[in-house]
Amino acid sequence: HLCYHSMQTDTLDIFDWATHWIQQCQTKHEKCNNKFIPESSENYLPLRLLDVGGHEDETISLKLSSQIREEHSKDYIALSHCWGEAVNITLTKANIDDMENLHISSLTKTFQHAVRIARALNIRYLWIDSLCIVQDDDAEWESESANMGLVYANSKCVVSASASKDSDGGCFMPKEVFRDDCTLRGSKKGSIVVSASSHRSFEASLKLFTDKAENTVLNTRAWTFQERYLARRVLHFCEGAVFFECNELVVHDGIRYAGSKYPVRAGVRYDGTLHPPNEYEAVQRPVERFTTAPLPGRARGRAAQPSENPEYTEQKKQLEKLLAMSARSGMRGAFELLWRFKGTALAEKVEFHQSWFEMVEKYSARKLTRGTDKLKAMSGIAYFIQKNTTLQYSAGLWKEMLAFNLL
């Protein structure tokens, strides 16, 4: 019944729940296959990965991805985190040889937790920017930062240290009991909790997600913008809760099944073209759901029985078809419209322009340690849009929409 309520966000039930959603997403979510990645880059691996080894190992090892043996799965987790002032070890030219045998206890708390998460999810490799890119090699940093979008887009899952303001804050926090929960029995290890309803609505989950995962220090950092929205799936370790986010849904720990999807935008398809007016109007026309028809034979004298109106049934089918092709709201929906864009009409170009600046507005409110990184930290998103369309990008603007952009 999933009524067990763990007291921390690092327990077996949390990891089982996370594994379930990663598998569900991998096998059943059509929109989570990241088809925006060019075919030549579908098997891209970062230059280096951390091999987290076995569950009992006290050390991890930094490896060149080209040295990973063929028989091993090359799935990896990428960490999204705030550096802060707490990073005590970074990869440098001087210590690169020492990284072949790195004691976990020497790492900051967030990095230690990331290792534990990778092991709990049975994913052998982990990518952490400060440990996988030589920080005092400008040429390597320039090269690898240009591929940062591919690192996050190709990862099996991104782990977001959402509750931590620096590298020592960690991913794991005490579990929060929400307002509509009732604790029947509790102990140091866990408790039995009954919720007011058997499931929370998608809207309620999104509100909770906004409070816990979006209103955080991590989401004030510019580099984490593309880390999140290019990822197939993200596990947000927040204060009091864990969330799973992908291109189809948002769900928080303790809920195993959810049927609700992101809301959609009216009138526009996910490739930026507009729904034909006649189709759009057809599904908006008021149609009675039921008709009353007399019963056949000897039952004619009795009251007529209601039956579903065939016209209503047909309209319902058309609506479902329309919704399946419609653009979704939010950042993930905006990015999908941009990279799939096939519009040619003026109104369709306006849709592209608005979607682009919906993302740019959110991104521009974030902070950068180095102002010169402003275009770099958004370049992954622009790269994938340009690769999948015929549009030309330059310094935050699009040639074909330049008049709108400048206004």
Side-chain angles (χ1 to χ4, degrees):
H1 290 175
L2 292 173
C3 53
Y4 178 80
H5 191 288
S6 52
M7 304 308 285
Q8 291 282 133
T9 57
D10 66 339
T11 51
L12 186 59
D13 60 313
I14 297 286
F15 295 131
D16 284 347
W17 166 86
T19 301
H20 163 82
W21 275 111
I22 290 170
Q23 289 171 347
Q24 283 285 106
C25 179
Q26 209 170 4
T27 56
K28 296 185 177 178
H29 291 178
E30 176 63 26
K31 289 187 182 294
C32 300
N33 53 19
N34 282 10
K35 287 183 178 176
F36 57 79
I37 301 173
E39 198 173 329
S40 58
S41 302
E42 283 179 356
N43 297 316
Y44 172 86
L45 287 174
L47 178 63
R48 299 182 189 87
L49 288 167
L50 292 160
D51 185 341
V52 301
H55 286 254
E56 305 304 321
D57 293 349
E58 294 179 1
T59 61
I60 59 176
S61 175
L62 184 65
K63 291 185 176 178
L64 287 167
S65 56
S66 58
Q67 295 174 337
I68 295 173
R69 285 155 53 182
E70 285 300 319
E71 62 267 26
H72 290 160
S73 167
K74 295 184 180 180
D75 288 339
Y76 65 92
I77 277 176
L79 179 67
S80 180
H81 67 108
C82 280
W83 282 44
E85 302 298 321
V87 176
N88 61 343
I89 299 175
T90 60
L91 181 63
T92 63
K93 293 174 183 176
N95 69 6
I96 193 165
D97 292 335
D98 302 331
M99 293 292 185
E100 286 186 20
N101 200 31
L102 185 61
H103 275 266
I104 298 169
S105 58
S106 67
L107 302 174
T108 59
K109 190 190 289 186
T110 300
F111 294 179
Q112 289 182 34
H113 289 179
V115 170
R116 191 171 161 203
I117 292 165
R119 288 175 172 178
L121 299 178
N122 290 314
I123 298 173
R124 181 161 182 162
Y125 298 104
L126 171 66
W127 188 87
I128 300 175
D129 48 6
S130 57
L131 296 179
C132 295
I133 301 174
V134 177
Q135 299 299 304
D136 56 355
D137 185 334
D138 290 342
E140 181 172 303
W141 196 90
E142 286 292 327
S143 169
E144 291 304 295
S145 65
N147 289 325
M148 207 78 85
L150 279 169
V151 172
Y152 286 92
N154 273 319
S155 65
K156 184 166 185 175
C157 184
V158 168
V159 168
S160 176
S162 302
S164 180
K165 62 183 179 182
D166 59 33
S167 293
D168 214 24
C171 296
F172 307 136
M173 303 281 166
K175 195 77 179 298
E176 183 175 321
V177 177
F178 297 103
R179 193 180 304 171
D180 61 345
D181 293 341
C182 174
T183 303
L184 298 184
R185 183 190 297 172
S187 69
K188 288 183 180 179
K189 289 186 177 180
S191 57
I192 293 176
V193 174
V194 177
S195 293
S197 59
S198 60
H199 68 279
R200 294 183 175 92
S201 69
F202 189 64
E203 290 74 20
S205 286
L206 279 181
K207 185 181 184 307
L208 191 63
F209 181 71
T210 301
D211 293 341
K212 295 288 182 182
E214 297 199 324
N215 296 335
T216 62
V217 173
L218 184 66
N219 274 328
T220 66
R221 307 304 304 172
W223 276 104
T224 64
F225 187 81
Q226 67 177 15
E227 293 173 9
R228 175 178 166 191
Y229 293 114
L230 293 178
R232 289 178 168 90
R233 47 196 80 92
V234 185
L235 271 176
H236 297 266
F237 283 82
C238 306
E239 191 173 346
V242 183
F243 289 88
F244 175 86
E245 176 192 18
C246 68
N247 281 333
E248 295 221 356
L249 48 78
V250 169
V251 64
H252 64 88
D253 60 277
I255 298 178
R256 190 170 288 276
Y257 305 106
S260 301
K261 309 290 182 183
Y262 289 102
V264 298
R265 291 165 55 181
V268 59
R269 293 170 172 155
Y270 55 65
D271 64 359
T273 58
L274 301 181
H275 287 298
N278 59 322
E279 288 182 19
Y280 192 60
E281 288 162 13
V283 299
Q284 291 187 311
R285 190 177 68 254
V287 177
E288 288 292 331
R289 178 169 184 178
F290 294 105
T291 59
T292 50
L295 291 168
R298 287 189 289 177
R300 283 187 189 278
R302 286 164 48 191
Q305 294 293 307
S307 63
E308 192 164 274
N309 185 351
E311 195 178 347
Y312 173 84
T313 308
E314 182 57 32
Q315 189 189 55
K316 190 177 169 186
K317 284 180 184 175
Q318 288 179 354
L319 178 60
E320 287 172 359
K321 185 179 174 184
L322 206 72
L323 291 175
M325 295 181 68
S326 293
R328 290 164 297 136
S329 60
M331 293 295 102
R332 288 181 176 271
F335 176 57
E336 184 182 26
L337 184 149
L338 292 166
W339 75 261
R340 288 186 183 274
F341 188 71
K342 297 287 188 294
T344 54
L346 190 65
E348 292 167 342
K349 289 182 178 181
V350 171
E351 292 291 344
F352 181 96
H353 165 79
Q354 289 177 335
S355 294
W356 173 248
F357 276 91
E358 187 180 346
M359 300 195 82
V360 167
E361 185 178 7
K362 291 284 188 186
Y363 170 74
S364 296
R366 296 181 175 222
K367 299 170 186 173
L368 281 161
T369 304
R370 296 185 294 187
T372 51
D373 287 346
K374 181 174 278 191
L375 289 172
K376 289 177 189 171
M378 187 73 164
S379 63
I381 286 174
Y383 166 81
F384 289 121
I385 296 168
Q386 192 167 237
K387 276 285 183 185
N388 286 280
T389 64
T390 57
L391 305 177
Q392 293 183 52
Y393 173 77
S394 179
L397 305 174
W398 296 90
K399 180 182 175 183
E400 291 78 3
M401 286 74 180
L402 194 59
F404 298 127
N405 293 173
L406 292 176
L407 287 167

